[in-house]
Amino acid sequence: MSNINNSAPVVTIDGPGGAGKGTVAAAIAAAKCWHLLDSGALYRIIAVSGEAADIALDDTNSLVALCERLQIVFAAERVQVDGQDLTEAIRTEEAGSSASKVAALPPVREAILTLQKGFRRAPGLVADGRDMGTVVFPDAPVKIFLDASAQARAERRYNQLKNKGLSVNLRALLEQIQERDARDRERAVAPLKPAQDALIIDSTQMTIEEVVAAVMTQLASKVG
Ligand code: DC
């Protein structure tokens, strides 16, 4: 990609699923008119597209080939993959769980690394995921690790799904969250953990507005 800008400032927001990273990242990107990278969406796309093509979630070579050939376009809050709209398909609990499995394969992470770096452009980038501050953008001037208790994250998800009219079981959601956390934290490559220079924010008792304000304050003090 010709216009990658390695000096464009980056805000990284890492943390476990359901901590509010995506909402906070979108709010910061909108406030600053910066680019946005939802890296979890990339892992979800590979998992969902792999399953649609009958590729097993541990078939590393086929998954890497898929990463290299898929045409992924994020625009107007939708995601198109090879011309097909996968916006809703990648948001299910199953897609999240499958994404966590393909994300444990080092060659898949390596293939996605190149894609992710391509999102760094002027005037700046807000990137959310698990390893944005530790691996993908280690020189980012602002690094946030957004945490929340597993119980709080399960309750938030439960309320989101219930508001959509879906019947859900809180205990099953909590178990899925704990299982995904364990896989993301314990994998050998790029495990979920705060970068040494990250500001850790525990959002268990905070509103989204309070978290956004805390990140904006950090951004103003580091980048201006
Ligand atoms: O943030 P999310 O729930 O959309 O992410 C889905 C899965 O993708 C998550 O369980 C782990 C993986 N992932 C990752 O390994 N590294 C990232 N930077 C982002 C997501």
Side-chain angles (χ1 to χ4, degrees), residues 1 15 42 59-60 76-78 82 137 143 154 167 178 194 216:
M1 240 174 259
L42 295 175
D59 180 348
T60 307
E77 297 182 19
R78 312 286 308 169
D82 284 351
F137 303 110
K143 298 182 186 178
S167 91
Q178 286 168 329
M216 287 300 279

Side-chain angles (χ1 to χ4, degrees), residues 13-18 21-22 38-44 90-91 95-104 109 112 116 128-132 136 180-181 183-184 187 189-192:
I13 306 182
D14 289 307
K21 301 182 303 286
D38 170 2
S39 62
L42 295 175
Y43 290 95
R44 287 170 182 262
I90 63 166
R91 289 293 151 209
S97 165
S98 301
S100 166
K101 289 179 190 156
V102 303
R109 301 199 71 83
I112 288 185
Q116 295 174 119
D128 87 76
R130 303 292 185 289
D131 61 343
M132 298 297 98
V136 183
R180 190 138 76 90
D181 279 359
R183 193 165 39 234
D184 293 346
R187 68 179 175 226
V189 174
L192 169 64

